[in-house]
Amino acid sequence: MPRSTATFPRSRRFAAGLASLVLFGLAGCGSGEEATTAAPAGVTDLSQQAQLQPSFSPDDALRALLPQAVRDSGVVKTATSVGLPPINFPGATAAEVKGLNADLTSAVAQLLGVKFSSEIYPSTAAQLLALDSGRIDLTTSTNGDTKARQAKYDFIDTTLSRNVLMIKSGNPAKIASATDVCGKKFGEVKGSTSVLPKLQKVCQGAGRPAPELSSFDDIPSMQLALISGRIDTYVGSDFNVVWDKSRGKPVDSVALPEAGTLVLGWTLPKGHDGLRDAVLGALQKVRQNGYYAQVFQRWGVAGNLLDPGVNIGAKGTGFGG
């Protein structure tokens, strides 16, 4: 399996993950390292999930698509992140990145007969700057595919992200839709792109009071406020729900279609068609042989799977944002 070379201290990498996931910004947020209860019986704690060990042979037709420089060096310089569990998150060491993308990159590297030499970056913005400077060839992190970004970059899309209303298990606040947030205690992380205006508009249209906003420094403190009853709900990723429930946290979710959806994918500069097509071809091959679906199922996000494709961001409602 290709190894990642960490370029940021572990504490800084976690801090970078504690930004709220908003569909029109960076697709990455973490739940932090706060203590959790044991996962329920029969539920796998995804933080302890073992990575798959694929054993694919190099595909000569796919290798022929790679730029000659990559074939000669045998290396693709990539960027990843650790802020969106279970898609990507820190492993036991500073050099280990775990999660769904690690399983996909292992298979793609094998099929292309190359090594993915990876660095960890704290944000989408940092990754795109590294692409612009030529420091890396490809990001294997989950960056949002938007119309504005497509003007400069190509996306090899794999995943659909949804925002949801996070609620305490048992739903004591009786929240079933966006209108039920009206007049309730609503949390957001300071400095994040706010979903509150959308909720205020919903409440205004329903003739109901606006949500009462409480601001937090990070997601763990906001989640603790939810569990303790100091707030009734906040907006998070559907990935968060899968991750947190696997770790025994007393949280659940309610759909929030008003917040939209966003297609996430690997990213490279326009004009790098050989590398783009080789990576896409490898992902399509593992989609056909069942490995791709196995990876999504293993990490609890089978419902977020997209057939891999280039620049299919318009499949998400947040594409124009």
Side-chain angles (χ1 to χ4, degrees), residues 212-266:
E212 299 176 11
L213 178 65
S214 295
S215 298
F216 297 87
D217 291 329
D218 52 44
I219 289 174
S221 59
M222 186 165 61
Q223 188 178 72
L224 288 173
L226 176 71
I227 294 170
S228 68
R230 289 186 287 120
I231 60 172
D232 298 309
T233 187
Y234 65 88
V235 175
S237 164
D238 54 352
F239 300 132
N240 294 146
V241 183
V242 170
W243 175 259
D244 289 342
K245 292 178 77 170
S246 86
R247 303 185 74 199
K249 294 184 180 179
V251 298
D252 213 326
S253 66
V254 171
L256 185 62
E258 292 84 356
T261 59
L262 186 67
V263 171
L264 309 178
W266 302 359

Side-chain angles (χ1 to χ4, degrees), residues 12-95:
R12 184 175 170 188
R13 290 189 287 137
F14 269 107
L18 299 179
S20 181
L21 171 63
V22 178
L23 292 177
F24 304 108
L26 167 66
C29 68
S31 298
E33 288 185 295
E34 72 280 8
T36 65
T37 58
V43 175
T44 299
D45 180 350
L46 293 177
S47 69
Q48 303 302 313
Q49 177 81 281
Q51 298 294 144
L52 291 173
Q53 299 294 326
S55 56
F56 295 109
S57 299
D59 184 304
D60 290 339
L62 293 175
R63 278 187 54 81
L65 297 173
L66 290 169
Q68 186 64 51
V70 172
R71 278 181 279 162
D72 290 343
S73 68
V75 175
V76 176
K77 295 176 292 183
T78 67
T80 189
S81 63
V82 290
L84 186 58
I87 308 303
N88 46 58
F89 59 95
T93 69

Side-chain angles (χ1 to χ4, degrees), residues 42-183:
V43 175
T44 299
D45 180 350
L46 293 177
S47 69
Q48 303 302 313
Q49 177 81 281
Q51 298 294 144
L52 291 173
Q53 299 294 326
S55 56
F56 295 109
S57 299
D59 184 304
D60 290 339
L62 293 175
R63 278 187 54 81
L65 297 173
L66 290 169
Q68 186 64 51
V70 172
R71 278 181 279 162
D72 290 343
S73 68
V75 175
V76 176
K77 295 176 292 183
T78 67
T80 189
S81 63
V82 290
L84 186 58
I87 308 303
N88 46 58
F89 59 95
T93 69
E96 184 182 23
V97 179
K98 295 188 65 176
L100 181 147
N101 272 344
D103 280 339
L104 291 182
T105 56
S106 294
V108 170
Q110 288 178 355
L111 285 167
L112 298 183
V114 297
K115 175 185 177 181
F116 278 21
S117 177
S118 189
E119 294 183 71
I120 297 170
Y121 286 79
S123 67
T124 293
Q127 293 177 38
L128 297 183
L129 285 173
L131 286 175
D132 294 344
S133 68
R135 179 180 174 88
I136 60 170
D137 304 309
L138 172 75
T139 80
T140 59
S141 184
T142 44
N143 298 325
D145 181 351
T146 66
K147 186 175 182 179
R149 287 176 178 167
Q150 277 193 21
K152 191 173 183 179
Y153 307 99
D154 281 335
F155 290 83
I156 306 166
D157 294 315
T158 61
T159 310
L160 186 69
S161 172
R162 305 174 185 88
N163 273 343
V164 295
L165 289 166
M166 302 292 291
I167 59 174
K168 185 177 179 179
S169 293
N171 198 6
K174 308 299 181 186
I175 294 172
S177 68
T179 55
D180 294 326
V181 183
C182 302

